[in-house]
Amino acid sequence: MTRPASRRDDPSFITVPVPLGDRAYDILVGRGVVETAGSRIASLGARAAAIVTDEHVGPLYAAPLAGALEAQGLRASVITLPPGEATKSYANLEQVCDAVLAARIERGDLVVALGGGVIGDLAGFAAAVVRRGVRFVQVPTTLLSQVDSSVGGKTGINSRHGKNLVGAFHQPSLVLADTALLDTLPLREMRAGYAEVAKYGLIDDERFFAWCEANWQSIFAGGPERDEAVAQSCRAKAAVVVRDEHENGDRALLNLGHTFGHALERITRYDSARLVHGEGVAIGLCLAFRFSAALGLCPEKDAERVEAHLSAAGLPTRLSHVPGGCGTVDALLDAMAQDKKVKGGALTFILARGIGQSFIAPGIGADKVRSFLDSELEPSRS
Amino acid sequence: MTRPASRRDDPSFITVPVPLGDRAYDILVGRGVVETAGSRIASLGARAAAIVTDEHVGPLYAAPLAGALEAQGLRASVITLPPGEATKSYANLEQVCDAVLAARIERGDLVVALGGGVIGDLAGFAAAVVRRGVRFVQVPTTLLSQVDSSVGGKTGINSRHGKNLVGAFHQPSLVLADTALLDTLPLREMRAGYAEVAKYGLIDDERFFAWCEANWQSIFAGGPERDEAVAQSCRAKAAVVVRDEHENGDRALLNLGHTFGHALERITRYDSARLVHGEGVAIGLCLAFRFSAALGLCPEKDAERVEAHLSAAGLPTRLSHVPGGCGTVDALLDAMAQDKKVKGGALTFILARGIGQSFIAPGIGADKVRSFLDSELEPSRS
Ligand SMILES: NC(=O)c1ccc[n+]([C@@H]2O[C@H](COP(=O)([O-])OP(=O)(O)OC[C@H]3O[C@@H](n4cnc5c(N)ncnc54)[C@H](O)[C@@H]3O)[C@@H](O)[C@H]2O)c1
Ligand SMILES: NC(=O)c1ccc[n+]([C@@H]2O[C@H](COP(=O)([O-])OP(=O)(O)OC[C@H]3O[C@@H](n4cnc5c(N)ncnc54)[C@H](O)[C@@H]3O)[C@@H](O)[C@H]2O)c1
Ligand SMILES: [Zn+2]
Ligand SMILES: [Zn+2]
């Protein structure tokens, strides 16, 4: 891909800067970057680090990381939590905060999140509130967390009133996206993260989407295209975050595919056996483009191209692909109405005029959504 | 007292501005200011407010406040918690966050903390994290919270590892310090808050301390001097907060009396039957001045003047005044060593060269503290 050259501090890694003033940080992308974690984290000036991880990731990667930190003279400790979305709870926030305090982490020290988005969100939130804020480093280990959740500083846990409703904006001090760690990621999680990669192309970068169409197999296989895909996704997300750190406007474009996707997650009760986030996003991206086409905003062929690509990558693309079904149109509309992005009754969608041409469309009438969903649920379509 | 005139937007209230850039806010001080809460809070642009209070304060003041908000078209709800320090817990954080969400508080809405420092710290923290931050208004109802905890944006809860170890910096949008609410405050709590008022004079304002010596009875009785004392304390605290919002340096001066005071609270296990915070501070202020005198930094007569005044106001001033005793010198040193203000073994004290001449004294050797405490615990001194 011919892109503006990235700054490289090590020839084998790509550096993506996130220029947020006094909260600026770098994302380092590449195979083996986590092996350099010791000196990089030591150079942040901390004397101790608490590594937070989960029971899948910890056994694979925690000991070498702790060792690398200790080799640099840092006191390292490991806090291991159960895997899965349910871990983003108040009870685990308490557990992590108390464990971080027990590890004698002071204001100059830091928390290291070693895991997917669940660990990143929880550990980042704990870092935001322990001693009213200690620094943290993201070591994302899923494709989704490398291209999305580890960048931008949104942290949090779930409430019984909804996902991510309690949290903080707390930017990491460093993100180490080691693409080699994805070699152990289950294929289904790889695909789910890939939906978010493709999303960046669909939002505003048709060239990147076309590059993904040509290179997705190497991304999955772990070639140099994987590093480039992660880095380009981070650049795209960072650019949006820099424009709108606290999500008051522009950042909403990142929700392309997510109004439908979140509704599907809600309907399947966040049961990952049925649907994981990226699968909901994949279906949501296809729905957003087909809805745009149905509204006459976007060429049909662009919607078809989106579906063809996500389908080729092994992702679900239609409501009928939700295991156990996605319920009635009313249930879907209800689930969408609960979304945070709904203000004063009218629905805000991210729609598109074509691939790479998404825009925020507030005030979409429920009737239009209803007739679109009706057509989607007609047996003939699936 | 001849002070620079304060800005007054209502002739009967004193406005103390806290100029923190885009987080700037006003503190309004005066009898009856809470009666104007409806229009003031409505003018912040919120559509709903969740009032957080405790079982002592709620029955006295929550209904009129909710009524005043509803009269301005705001949706108001009341969340009532048990009184006391134990309320600053993870469990109550969860309860308040979920109740605030159940009250459908959105990003533009706000939380109102109606109570003492316990409620202010807990509700402020909940406001900091619900939806990654909603605004909040402080309506402090104790003298301590009016002159100290409601100003400066420190919020939080206690961990089993120590007090206030989990929290956030989250500035309020408005502070309404209604001095009439203090009419129902138990005398012991009034005295405890008064220790913090006197502290501001001791830190850097000898004239204010002298004014307190002359006027403390009117402050307790609820005359106009009460308003002036609260306003002047807020000015003093605001000035420090503006210089050091996130407590990296100067703000430590506010801890005059607190290194000893916190140790006493720890030794009495935060049992308010034995010692409340302000009582620990009163003893701590006297110790800080006597320690300064013992080190030859401060005239003996200034230490005597501090003790005479706090004693006249009904506050404890000596280690022997701690009900149930304060333990051995070793226990005290241990308790001090646990303090957050201890870095790398050496103790940091706030000492004084005289009344109104405090300074940060890092690296005070434990031997000096020990021989001072030994002399304090000699039977002849108490
Ligand atoms: N903060 C944000 O901006 C943001 C953005 C998007 C999503 N999120 C959050 O991210 C979470 C989802 O993150 P996720 O998709 O990374 O899920 P996850 O953290 O649950 O990880 C998915 C699964 O993969 C396992 N795993 C992780 N890395 C592995 C590896 N290298 N090898 C083997 N197994 C591995 C995990 O243990 C887990 O079972 C959700 O909670 C979502 O709300 C946050
Ligand atoms: N955030 C900060 O900067 C800061 C600064 C100092 C102290 N604090 C915190 O403040 C807390 C102590 O605050 P506090 O001294 O206000 O204690 P508090 O909130 O426990 O109130 C003391 C008692 O007075 C009762 N009460 C309150 N207002 C009343 C009224 N008007 N009439 C009758 N009863 C009333 C309360 O119910 C309680 O029983 C501690 O947790 C401390 O850590 C925070
Ligand atoms: Zn997503
Ligand atoms: Zn105090």
Side-chain angles (χ1 to χ4, degrees):
Chain A
M1 192 167 50
T2 47
R3 296 259 145 211
S6 288
R7 174 155 63 82
R8 284 170 181 265
D9 72 338
D10 178 306
S12 46
F13 307 127
I14 308 173
T15 300
V16 179
V18 186
L20 280 171
D22 59 0
R23 292 177 303 291
Y25 55 96
D26 280 343
I27 307 166
L28 292 172
V29 182
R31 292 191 86 84
V33 73
V34 81
E35 286 156 33
T36 68
S39 57
R40 291 183 197 278
I41 291 176
S43 76
L44 294 173
R47 295 188 304 178
I51 300 169
V52 182
T53 190
D54 76 21
E55 286 160 9
H56 291 156
V57 178
L60 296 169
Y61 305 114
L65 179 57
L69 294 172
E70 280 161 357
Q72 296 288 330
L74 277 90
R75 198 160 32 77
S77 48
V78 178
I79 301 158
T80 308
L81 296 157
E85 185 66 32
T87 292
K88 278 171 59 176
S89 68
Y90 289 102
N92 284 314
L93 176 71
E94 170 170 2
Q95 200 194 312
V96 174
C97 288
D98 280 354
V100 168
L101 287 164
R104 289 176 291 126
I105 299 299
E106 306 279 341
R107 288 270 290 275
D109 300 327
L110 45 78
V111 169
V112 179
L114 173 68
V118 164
I119 291 299
D121 282 11
L122 173 66
F125 187 28
V129 298
V130 164
R131 298 184 184 279
R132 298 199 185 89
V134 297
R135 294 176 300 169
F136 84 118
V137 170
Q138 292 269 20
V139 183
T141 66
T142 63
L143 181 56
L144 182 130
S145 56
Q146 293 191 352
V147 303
D148 187 353
S149 62
S150 70
V151 178
K154 279 166 73 174
T155 72
I157 57 173
N158 305 322
S159 148
R160 63 192 171 83
H161 295 286
K163 270 196 57 161
N164 300 325
L165 284 179
V166 175
F169 287 98
H170 189 52
Q171 299 292 345
S173 298
L174 177 67
V175 181
L176 299 177
D178 189 329
T179 48
L181 306 192
L182 305 183
D183 293 345
T184 56
L185 192 66
L187 178 59
R188 189 177 169 203
E189 297 292 348
M190 192 74 193
R191 287 172 168 156
Y194 185 71
E196 305 277 7
V197 174
K199 182 189 75 175
Y200 293 112
L202 297 175
I203 290 175
D204 63 0
D205 192 348
E206 196 274 338
R207 272 175 70 199
F208 181 57
F209 186 76
W211 180 85
C212 285
E213 288 175 311
N215 292 284
W216 70 270
Q217 278 149 317
S218 323
I219 297 171
F220 277 65
E225 292 80 5
R226 180 188 283 174
D227 297 8
E228 195 45 46
V230 169
Q232 183 54 24
S233 299
C234 289
R235 285 182 205 110
K237 177 145 185 189
V240 177
V241 167
V242 165
R243 284 202 302 274
D244 179 18
E245 184 175 0
H246 293 127
E247 198 163 31
N248 301 312
D250 255 15
R251 193 154 168 166
L253 282 182
L254 295 173
N255 282 321
L256 180 64
H258 282 63
T259 305
F260 290 116
H262 285 155
L264 293 174
E265 286 186 274
R266 217 168 274 132
I267 278 177
T268 53
R269 298 170 176 278
Y270 303 98
D271 175 358
S272 63
R274 290 176 67 191
L275 198 77
V276 297
H277 176 74
E279 293 167 344
V281 171
I283 299 174
L285 290 169
C286 293
L287 290 174
F289 272 81
R290 283 203 294 274
F291 188 29
S292 301
L295 293 172
L297 294 164
C298 159
E300 283 278 358
K301 70 162 183 20
D302 281 19
E304 282 157 20
R305 190 174 152 201
V306 175
E307 175 162 16
H309 178 50
L310 294 179
S311 188
L315 282 158
T317 57
R318 300 198 161 252
L319 291 174
S320 62
H321 296 169
V322 177
C326 67
T328 62
V329 169
D330 283 319
L332 275 167
L333 284 169
D334 257 20
M336 275 189 271
Q338 284 172 45
D339 208 89
K340 279 191 288 187
K341 290 178 286 301
V342 178
K343 287 242 167 74
L347 289 147
T348 296
F349 277 90
I350 317 300
L351 297 177
R353 298 207 168 77
I355 287 169
Q357 298 174 56
S358 71
F359 63 98
I360 300 170
I364 300 288
D367 53 329
K368 289 191 173 139
V369 189
R370 176 183 294 279
S371 61
F372 168 67
L373 289 175
D374 273 335
S375 73
E376 284 291 308
L377 282 171
E378 273 167 26
S380 62
R381 288 221 50 141
S382 27
Chain B
M1 193 167 46
T2 46
R3 296 259 144 210
S6 288
R7 173 155 64 83
R8 283 170 182 266
D9 72 338
D10 179 306
S12 47
F13 307 128
I14 307 173
T15 300
V16 179
V18 186
L20 281 171
D22 59 359
R23 293 177 302 291
Y25 55 96
D26 280 343
I27 307 165
L28 293 172
V29 182
R31 292 193 86 84
V33 73
V34 80
E35 286 157 33
T36 68
S39 57
R40 291 182 196 278
I41 291 175
S43 76
L44 295 174
R47 293 187 307 177
I51 300 168
V52 183
T53 189
D54 76 21
E55 286 161 9
H56 290 156
V57 178
L60 296 169
Y61 305 113
L65 179 57
L69 293 173
E70 280 161 356
Q72 297 287 329
L74 277 91
R75 196 159 34 76
S77 47
V78 178
I79 302 159
T80 308
L81 296 158
E85 186 66 31
T87 292
K88 278 170 60 175
S89 68
Y90 290 101
N92 284 313
L93 176 71
E94 170 169 1
Q95 200 194 312
V96 174
C97 288
D98 280 354
V100 168
L101 287 164
R104 289 177 290 126
I105 299 300
E106 305 279 342
R107 287 273 289 275
D109 300 328
L110 45 80
V111 169
V112 180
L114 173 68
V118 164
I119 290 299
D121 282 10
L122 173 66
F125 187 27
V129 297
V130 164
R131 298 184 184 282
R132 297 199 186 89
V134 298
R135 294 178 299 169
F136 84 117
V137 170
Q138 292 268 21
V139 183
T141 65
T142 63
L143 181 56
L144 182 130
S145 56
Q146 293 190 351
V147 301
D148 188 352
S149 62
S150 69
V151 179
K154 280 166 72 174
T155 71
I157 58 174
N158 304 323
S159 147
R160 63 193 172 84
H161 295 287
K163 271 196 58 162
N164 299 324
L165 285 178
V166 175
F169 288 97
H170 188 53
Q171 300 293 344
S173 297
L174 177 68
V175 181
L176 299 177
D178 189 329
T179 48
L181 304 193
L182 304 184
D183 294 345
T184 56
L185 191 66
L187 177 59
R188 190 178 167 202
E189 297 292 347
M190 192 73 193
R191 287 172 168 156
Y194 184 71
E196 305 276 7
V197 174
K199 181 189 75 174
Y200 292 113
L202 297 175
I203 291 175
D204 64 0
D205 192 347
E206 195 275 336
R207 273 175 69 198
F208 181 57
F209 186 76
W211 181 85
C212 284
E213 288 175 311
N215 292 285
W216 70 271
Q217 277 150 317
S218 323
I219 296 171
F220 277 66
E225 291 80 4
R226 180 188 283 175
D227 296 9
E228 194 47 44
V230 170
Q232 182 53 24
S233 299
C234 289
R235 283 182 207 111
K237 177 145 185 189
V240 177
V241 168
V242 166
R243 283 202 301 274
D244 180 18
E245 184 176 1
H246 293 128
E247 198 164 31
N248 300 312
D250 255 15
R251 193 154 166 168
L253 282 182
L254 294 173
N255 283 320
L256 180 63
H258 282 63
T259 305
F260 290 116
H262 286 154
L264 294 174
E265 286 186 274
R266 217 168 273 131
I267 279 178
T268 53
R269 299 169 175 278
Y270 303 98
D271 176 358
S272 63
R274 289 177 68 190
L275 198 77
V276 298
H277 176 75
E279 292 167 344
V281 171
I283 299 174
L285 290 170
C286 293
L287 290 175
F289 272 82
R290 283 202 294 273
F291 189 29
S292 302
L295 293 172
L297 294 164
C298 159
E300 283 280 356
K301 71 164 181 17
D302 281 20
E304 282 158 19
R305 190 174 152 200
V306 174
E307 174 162 17
H309 178 50
L310 295 180
S311 186
L315 282 158
T317 57
R318 300 200 161 248
L319 291 175
S320 61
H321 296 168
V322 176
C326 68
T328 62
V329 169
D330 282 319
L332 275 166
L333 283 169
D334 258 21
M336 275 189 270
Q338 283 171 44
D339 208 90
K340 279 190 289 188
K341 290 179 288 300
V342 177
K343 287 238 167 75
L347 288 147
T348 295
F349 277 89
I350 317 299
L351 297 177
R353 297 206 170 78
I355 287 170
Q357 298 173 55
S358 71
F359 63 98
I360 300 171
I364 300 288
D367 52 328
K368 289 191 172 140
V369 189
R370 176 183 295 278
S371 61
F372 169 67
L373 290 174
D374 273 334
S375 72
E376 285 290 308
L377 283 171
E378 272 168 27
S380 63
R381 290 222 48 139
S382 28

